[in-house]
Every structure is written in C-alpha cells, then in structure tokens.
Amino acid sequence: MTAYNAETAIAHLNQTEDLSLRYYAAWWLGKFRITDSAAMTALLNALEDEADRSPDGGYPLRRNAARALGKLGNPQAVPSLIENLNCSDYYVREASAQALEEIGDSRAISPLLALLEGGVEAAKPMPGKPHLVQPYEAVIEALGSLGATIAIAQIQPFLDHPVEKVQFAAARALYQLTKEEKYGMRLVEGLKAEKLPLRRSALMDLGATDYLDAGSAIAQTPAENSLKLIALKGLLENHLQHQDQPLSPEAVQLLTLMDSLL
Amino acid sequence: KAVWALSGSQSEDAIPTLIQVLGFNNPGAAIAAVEGLVKLGDVAVPILIRDLDGYDYGARAWAIRALSRIAHPDALDILTEAAAHDFALSVRRGAAKGLGDLRWEKLPPEAQEGAQKKVLETLKQVAKKDEEWIVRYAAIVGLESLAKQALTEEIKTFLQELEKQEKDLTARSRLRLAFTNQE
C-alpha cells in the first residue's frame, strides 16, 4: 500500500466517481496545508461541486473545500468564497466566512456585511434547524479580524442578540475594531458564564484579541487548561504583533500565567 | 464543593477517592482533587502511580500534574515515559514541566547525577522534537527549573541553540524569558 500523500489527495479530489474519497481529500489538503497550484485548482473546483448532496440539500464537499481554502490562505480563492457566502447551505456560508477571515482579504468586507442585513431583528432561528438564518458568529468575527471599522454600527446591536455566543462575537469584533475596554470587559464577564461551552467560547474570543487585562481571569476560569493556554497564546501573539519583540512586563506576566497552567 | 471538603480533609483514606474524581471529566472537581493530593504529598505518590489510568487520558493528565507538583523522584520513570511517549499532549505537557522540579535530595546522593542526566536527555528530546508547541514550551520550562539545581551551563548552551530552530513565537518568547531569568 502506498502512503497517502498530496498527489493521491489531488487525484482523489479530481475524480468524480467516489464522493467519499473527494470529501476526505479536501479535508486532507487543508489539514496538511498543501499549497501547490494543483491543490488550489482542485479545491476551487470542489467549491463549485453540485454532485455531493446531503439529504437536506447541503453541500458537504463544498464545506470541506471552503475550510481547506481558508487554511491555505491564498487570496486566489477569495472570489469563489465570496460567491459561496450566498450558497443555500448554511454550513457552506459559515465555512466560507471563516475562510475569508483566515485569508484576510478586505474584498470580503462588503459581501460579509450584506449577511447582517436586517440587523438583530432578522437574526432569528431558522425554523426546524439548530442554527440562525445566517452564520452571524462567523460573519461578525470575520469582520472584526478584517479590521472592518465600517461595520461597527451594524455590529453593535448584536451585543444584545438573544444568543450569547453571538453577543460574544460582537464584543470580540468591537474590541478588535475600537480597542475600547468595555468590550474586552464584556468578554471577561463571559468567562463567568454558568455553562462550560460558553466559557470556552469567551476564552477563544479573548484569544483573538490583545486585551491583556484578561490574562489572570483567563487563568482562573474553570475550563480545560489546554484551552486557557491557547487563549493566552493568542493574547501574547496579538500583543507581540506576531513577531519577535522585546518582552514587555505584560508579556512576561502572560508567560508566567502559562507556566502555571502546564 | 464536596470534592473541596474531601480535598481539605487531609485524610490518607481519601486518596483513592480523590484519584477517582480525576476521571469525572469535570475540570472544577479535578482541580480540587489535585489540590488535595498535592497537599497530602508523598503518601499519595505510590497510589497515584498504581492507579494511573491507562485509558482515560484526561484523568491521566490530572494525575501526572499531581505527581509533577508533589515532585517526589519516585515518579521519575513515569514522568520521563509520559513526557516522551504519551499520545495525549496534556499528559506530555504536565510531565515535561514536572521533570524539572523533582526534589533530588529525596534520592541517595550517588543516584542523583544519573537521574538528572536522564531528565536532561528526555527534556532535550522533547524540546527539540515534540510536534506540539505547548509540549516544547513545557520542556523549556522544565529545563529552566532543572538548570537552577544542576547541569546549568549545559542547559544554557542547549537553550541558546534551541532558539535558532524553534518556529513557534510563544515558545520562542519563553526561551527569551529563560535567558533573562538566567542573567
């Protein structure tokens, strides 16, 4: 048996007979960040797939392709991902918003903003589904990461959305866009949530910011140390702006907190 | 709450129960149980080693953390094995940190040097080769602690070499903190 490698994955993705091979190959190319152009072409192709349909009309292969394209980070994928923000499958829209966030191309800002149309009023649960009509969390988080200050007014009302994770997404984005302390404090407040999944969500949101005051609150939250360490790593690296810098007292404090969680 | 009460009781009879709590998949309760076991100290070590859960890596990570904090060198073999080979990163991470803090004076003097060398070799491998940034980070922390007690110059040289190959920004920052602390 030959080992599974990039060539195999690309070949599997390009054939059309066995859908499950395609599905796995798309995931694999993202997981191992295969950046060559044949992988790109195959994934972009998969993002237009019409063959792989779930019983409720979803596009499983497109979901995986969108996620993989986000991991590859190549701006070449931006137009197709933008197109898939209007896909009938909620999870394709969600994966596309997340991928556009990862790629970090500002062309995505106005198409993402369009999904917030109607504001909180329109942001209702989808009848018969476990999700809202749009992937609001992913969209709002992407707008924050993309530095879309133009979106501030439209994001603000989502601080009062009935779904707490959406509130957190709004606080996170608004902190990134304005650096106002009140939004960081809102997330720190979220660390006290009764339910563990919500505390986890607040941890991840803080990790996307450089709100350094959250350090000790993160360390003390009752949640898995692994998640707390990832959140602290996020704070630290955002503070260092993703490059080596002289260690500030704040950076030393974050590292000391991390030591205590090992 | 009940776990904190048990944890505060400081009774040796509570040890097996506290160890069971580590497997409840409840971080709050596990933190309380670890605190209790650490306070009990050396008496808990043989039971922690005996009851180490081979199946539930969550429970194993908490038990390793308790052993690391009690820092009795009887746990040396368990901790080196865990740091180098456990499939769960939370276990490797906890063990790597603990290896640096062992109370060497609990070993007979003639056994200390060999044990420290073994720890050094294990942590060097982990710091160079582990695929998870947080495990390499923990090995750096372990090496820094070990250097305070033994093998200081060798560790210093190793960490300086390591900085050239470490790709993760957080782990690299931790190396630089270790250099600052050494000065």
Side-chain angles (χ1 to χ4, degrees), chain A residues 39-259:
Chain A
M40 265 314 276
T41 314
L43 284 168
L44 285 172
N45 221 349
L47 200 54
E48 293 174 8
D49 173 69
E50 290 289 348
D52 190 357
R53 304 297 299 266
S54 63
D56 61 353
Y59 291 89
L61 178 60
R62 288 196 195 196
R63 297 174 194 166
N64 267 7
R67 290 178 194 125
L69 287 163
K71 293 204 168 73
L72 302 194
N74 185 338
Q76 215 190 318
V78 169
S80 308
L81 287 168
I82 287 177
E83 218 162 287
N84 272 287
L85 287 177
N86 293 316
C87 181
S88 59
D89 179 347
Y90 170 93
Y91 297 103
V92 172
R93 300 200 297 280
E94 181 180 55
S96 300
Q98 286 164 340
L100 288 163
E101 174 182 17
E102 280 181 276
I103 297 172
D105 190 308
S106 57
R107 280 178 288 173
I109 292 176
S110 77
L112 283 164
L113 254 180
L115 297 190
L116 298 188
E117 224 160 89
V120 175
E121 191 57 29
K124 297 238 154 60
M126 188 79 176
K129 300 275 180 182
H131 55 68
L132 302 169
V133 291
Q134 293 292 358
Y136 292 99
E137 263 183 89
V139 169
I140 292 169
E141 289 177 2
L143 287 166
S145 299
L146 292 170
T149 42
I150 191 177
I152 292 174
Q154 271 172 274
I155 294 174
Q156 252 153 356
F158 283 89
L159 287 169
D160 298 316
H161 190 278
V163 175
E164 279 155 306
K165 286 189 181 183
V166 175
Q167 295 171 17
F168 293 175
R172 157 185 159 170
L174 290 168
Y175 183 80
Q176 289 171 323
L177 297 172
T178 66
K179 300 285 173 192
E180 281 179 46
E181 206 182 338
K182 61 179 176 189
Y183 300 121
M185 282 162 64
R186 179 76 181 262
L187 290 174
V188 168
E189 207 49 45
L191 294 175
K192 295 181 193 142
E194 187 70 28
K195 295 194 179 108
L196 180 58
L198 276 179
R199 296 198 297 275
R200 288 183 181 140
S201 176
L203 278 174
M204 292 301 102
D205 285 333
L206 282 165
T209 73
D210 62 352
Y211 183 55
L212 300 178
D213 288 354
S216 14
I218 288 174
Q220 284 157 25
T221 311
E224 297 83 348
N225 284 12
S226 299
L227 283 186
K228 297 197 253 182
L229 286 162
I230 292 170
L232 291 169
K233 179 191 215 285
L235 280 186
L236 176 71
E237 296 193 355
N238 289 325
H239 166 63
L240 298 173
Q241 297 169 323
H242 301 284
Q243 50 194 320
D244 287 299
Q245 304 227 355
L247 293 178
S248 63
E250 291 83 3
V252 172
Q253 196 219 349
L254 290 174
L255 290 165
T256 311
L257 288 169
M258 292 178 79
D259 287 4

Side-chain angles (χ1 to χ4, degrees), chain B residues 55-109:
Chain B
Y55 296 98
D56 178 355
Y57 69 86
R60 201 157 68 245
W62 289 113
I64 289 289
R65 207 168 286 134
L67 285 171
S68 287
R69 284 186 45 202
I70 298 170
H72 194 288
D74 278 355
L76 177 67
D77 291 339
I78 293 265
L79 291 177
T80 44
E81 176 65 23
H85 301 301
D86 202 286
F87 83 90
L89 73 95
S90 51
V91 176
R92 300 203 299 280
R93 176 181 86 205
K97 184 194 186 200
L99 280 172
D101 286 324
L102 293 178
R103 287 174 288 140
W104 302 110
E105 71 277 7
K106 292 270 163 191
L107 283 178

Side-chain angles (χ1 to χ4, degrees), chain B residues 12 15-16 19 42-52 67:
Chain B
E12 288 183 31
I15 294 173
I19 292 174
D42 291 350
V43 290
V45 172
I47 311 173
L48 273 163
I49 291 174
R50 187 195 69 197
D51 291 358
L52 203 64
L67 285 171

